[in-house]
Amino acid sequence: EKGGWSSFMAKEIAEDPEAVANTLRGRLVDGLPSLGELGSLDDDALRGIDRVQIVACGTAAYSALVGKYAMEAWARIPVEVDLAHEYRYRDPIVDERTLVISISQSGETMDTKMAVQHAIAQGARTLSICNTQGSTIARASEAVLYTHAGPEVAVASTKAFLAQVVALLLTGLHLGRVRGAMADDAIREVTEALEELPEQLRTLLADQDEIRELAQWMSDTRSVLFLGRHVGYPVALEGALKLKELSYIHAEGFAAGELKHGPIALIEPGQVVFVVVPSPRHQQGLHAKVVSNIQEIRARGARVIAVAEAGDSAVLPYANQVLRIPLTLPLLEPVLSVVPLHVFALELATAKGLDVDQPRNLAKSVTVE
Ligand code: BG6
């Protein structure tokens, strides 16, 4: 039931805070991840693996990319991400020391299921991150971590994406702890930030008028680009995917560092570019690099909408508009920065009079290869 909402998607975005809270619920004890539900994928098993491969399709594959950054940083284990339909056809190097994590909201996506079966046939350990209880992929895997985001009806995924990212972050912390790559204090710093996310999402969602106005103003736009770097890169990909799915506008996401290697050729006066700006607290100076990307595209006439941390004033002289997100740890930022992009896609499609819950040609879960 939609309740008072104009669409399931609007309702599901409003449920972001609850979805994230539900993914965390019962999985932190004294500030440390507690994932006893993984059954035979216990601490010994997780100490025995030497690589992680994540397989998924669509939005779920973008959550996987965020997971890769976090897992490598925290657990110091190599992580590869594959689109599930590419995975088994490239004859991946996988054995009993490989942990294959599949991510699927529905748990029924055929491409993802086939990738899991391929991994099992090679002797891999398998963990699935699913939203739907008892789904095929959940049942096929050795262990399952349910996202508990609640039913998602709109074809385009929103709250389930946030929940997938959070489940991957928990998995990364758990691996980091079990494998001795991360001290308990460092883990607690992250889990404290994780526990703040639901409230921060509430604050963020409380004021969406600016994005609505922007979307209405842009309803005739024909192309939108999205740039991001580090964990902001998958957010840019997700922002572009959602916009093309819902509003049938050409949209593309790029890694900001790649701009000078090609995409900058697309910049002409009036081109709208969303830039997901990394936190100034990011260790490797990425913030300054992205700000300089913004200067480069502004100089060529782009109209820049920055998604930036509250208080980040460095973007102000260059961006046409700044959408603010609350402060969190850099690796957790996607959970917040993706929200304005989801809302933007919803509002733009609404402004164009389109059916946001049932975009043309798409299905909620694709059960054929
Ligand atoms: C697509 C849906 O077909 O499948 C997307 O339209 C979704 O919204 C993708 O991200 C993967 O689905 P699932 O259920 O495996 O996460």
Side-chain angles (χ1 to χ4, degrees):
E1 247 321 293
K2 265 195 281 201
W5 298 94
S6 54
S7 63
F8 280 107
M9 188 175 168
K11 173 176 183 270
E12 287 157 9
I13 290 174
E15 289 165 353
D16 280 347
E18 216 183 308
V20 166
N22 287 343
T23 306
L24 291 172
R25 181 159 299 123
R27 290 173 170 154
L28 294 176
V29 174
D30 190 22
L32 298 172
S34 164
L35 301 181
E37 64 205 284
L38 299 188
S40 60
L41 220 48
D42 57 12
D43 295 3
D44 270 349
L46 294 176
R47 276 189 280 266
I49 59 157
D50 61 10
R51 81 176 80 196
V52 175
Q53 294 174 337
I54 315 182
V55 293
C57 301
T59 288
Y62 299 147
S63 76
L65 280 175
V66 177
K68 171 186 164 85
Y69 283 88
M71 229 172 256
E72 289 193 339
W74 293 336
R76 303 306 298 159
I77 188 164
V79 181
E80 292 170 84
V81 175
D82 269 278
L83 292 168
H85 37 89
E86 287 292 320
Y87 180 71
R88 75 193 170 111
Y89 296 102
R90 73 172 172 86
D91 196 8
I93 296 162
V94 42
D95 59 25
E96 54 288 336
R97 294 173 68 83
T98 310
L99 172 64
V100 174
I101 304 179
S102 57
I103 309 177
S104 175
Q105 187 287 129
S106 62
E108 302 297 340
T109 300
M110 179 63 81
D111 287 323
T112 309
K113 186 182 118 184
M114 298 304 279
V116 172
Q117 282 177 351
H118 182 83
I120 292 171
Q122 312 298 307
R125 313 301 299 256
T126 52
L127 165 66
S128 65
I129 294 178
C130 292
N131 196 43
T132 308
Q133 305 265 343
S135 54
T136 308
I137 293 170
R139 280 184 284 117
S141 311
E142 182 177 351
V144 53
L145 198 57
Y146 284 112
T147 41
H148 298 305
E152 195 179 61
V153 177
V155 166
S157 182
T158 53
K159 63 173 179 174
F161 172 84
L162 275 75
Q164 286 160 352
V165 171
V166 170
L168 281 161
L169 295 174
L170 277 174
T171 307
L173 290 175
H174 182 60
L175 276 173
R177 180 167 190 230
V178 166
R179 299 170 62 84
M182 209 176 175
D184 285 359
D185 285 352
I187 295 176
R188 285 197 180 94
E189 192 193 334
V190 181
T191 58
E192 274 170 30
L194 281 172
E195 289 187 299
E196 283 174 26
L197 288 173
E199 197 48 44
Q200 292 179 318
L201 285 163
R202 259 171 228 123
T203 310
L204 186 58
L205 286 164
D207 183 14
Q208 298 300 305
D209 293 349
E210 192 184 350
I211 304 176
R212 188 169 304 121
E213 281 162 29
L214 176 69
Q216 282 161 358
W217 173 79
M218 280 180 60
S219 61
D220 291 330
T221 303
R222 302 187 50 169
S223 158
V224 181
L225 304 181
F226 293 80
L227 294 179
R229 194 155 180 156
H230 196 266
V231 287
Y233 168 42
V235 174
L237 297 175
E238 166 67 3
L241 175 66
K242 212 97 306 180
L243 191 61
K244 66 182 93 151
E245 284 181 311
L246 294 180
S247 63
Y248 319 144
I249 287 176
H250 169 250
E252 258 188 280
F254 298 107
E258 194 64 6
L259 190 66
K260 57 187 175 300
H261 301 295
I264 199 162
L266 290 170
I267 307 297
E268 54 187 23
Q271 171 69 54
V272 175
V273 187
F274 277 81
V275 183
V276 183
V277 183
S279 162
R281 291 166 298 127
H282 207 287
Q283 282 166 358
Q284 296 127 321
L286 292 181
H287 174 262
K289 291 193 164 75
V290 172
V291 172
S292 106
N293 289 143
I294 296 178
Q295 285 175 263
E296 285 157 11
I297 57 175
R298 265 309 290 276
R300 288 161 178 82
R303 188 177 169 87
V304 176
I305 321 288
V307 178
E309 183 178 280
D312 175 2
S313 55
V315 290
L316 286 174
Y318 310 112
N320 297 79
Q321 202 165 341
V322 185
L323 305 173
R324 294 296 184 182
I325 60 160
L327 258 67
T328 186
L329 295 176
L331 284 165
L332 275 52
E333 272 169 14
V335 178
L336 301 172
S337 58
V338 79
V339 173
L341 304 187
H342 282 168
V343 173
F344 176 71
L346 166 73
E347 294 295 346
L348 190 59
T350 305
K352 291 182 75 172
L354 299 169
D355 181 347
V356 295
D357 289 335
Q358 294 280 347
R360 68 184 183 202
N361 307 339
L362 298 176
K364 183 71 183 155
S365 89
V366 180
T367 51
V368 291
E369 244 197 296

